[in-house]
Amino acid sequence: MIEEILADIGDSRRYTLHSHTEFCDGRATMEAFARKAVEEGFTHYGFTPHSPIAITSPCNMLRDNVSRYDAEYRRISDTYGDRVKFYRSMEIDYLGQEWGPAHEYFASLNLDYAIGSVHFIPCQSGEYIDIDGRYENFVKKMERYFHDDIRYVVETFYAKSIAMVEAGGFEIIGHLDKVGNNASCYQPGIESEPWYQALLDDLIRRVIDAGLVVEINTKAWHQQNRMFPHTGKWKMLVDAGVKLVVNSDAHVPALINAGRDEAYSMLDAIGQPLQPVEEAMPMPPMY
């Protein structure tokens, strides 16, 4: 299905395949996002609520609400589908072999496509902890759950990401180096360290081998001057022939195109002599 979607999008740059609404931690209704997509002249738009998961999370959709999400998707498509092609998807959290994109539950939903992402990792005691989101919360979790061991957090994030890729069940990998955002605030310069680079490069090689689509996630561009994956890795992906999609990961309608034009400008420049990208000083995430 993802091949058909990419073929349908074609040369259009007015799209996003990653967004969050009232069904998870988004801050507006699907209706509000749909209207904004029409207003912005988008050609294709994907709804991707954070999937139901096997643990309690205030950011994830409840399984009991999936049927209501489906019904609202159909209503949106009937109302606005003559102007924008909408897709019914989810951003599916990987929680190990017990739960993730490859779980039979998600196959039963017949989604248009699936984004696979890692937001939760097990702490040293085995409890899964959300390491995404605001930096001030991340710092508290580092002390409370992870014994302030940032290398453990980073290594576990990449190990779980690789396990998710190996398990399969999804077409697009979401913000594949997102841990670097909070990690670089916690320990500036960590993303330049050889061991960190080796972990990220290993994940990228496995993504390439798996034939996954990689999203260029622009959510943090205007606030923190960074994208996921790091711009320094884009040429590696382009040279390998990886299919890329530029997603805003918007949680509010006003940001459905935020950072996407800048991302395309940088992608257009790949293949020509580039000035080194100066890594910005890390700033705490603001969501």
Side-chain angles (χ1 to χ4, degrees), residues 131 150 154 157-158 175-187 189-191 196 200 226 228 279 282-283 285:
I131 60 168
I150 190 62
V154 169
F157 173 87
Y158 283 112
H175 44 61
L176 62 81
D177 64 345
K178 186 74 180 291
V179 70
N181 202 24
N182 277 331
S184 63
C185 293
Y186 189 84
Q187 182 177 309
I190 191 172
E191 291 180 274
Y196 182 100
L200 176 53
R226 71 168 296 158
F228 310 106
E279 188 167 343
M283 297 173 58

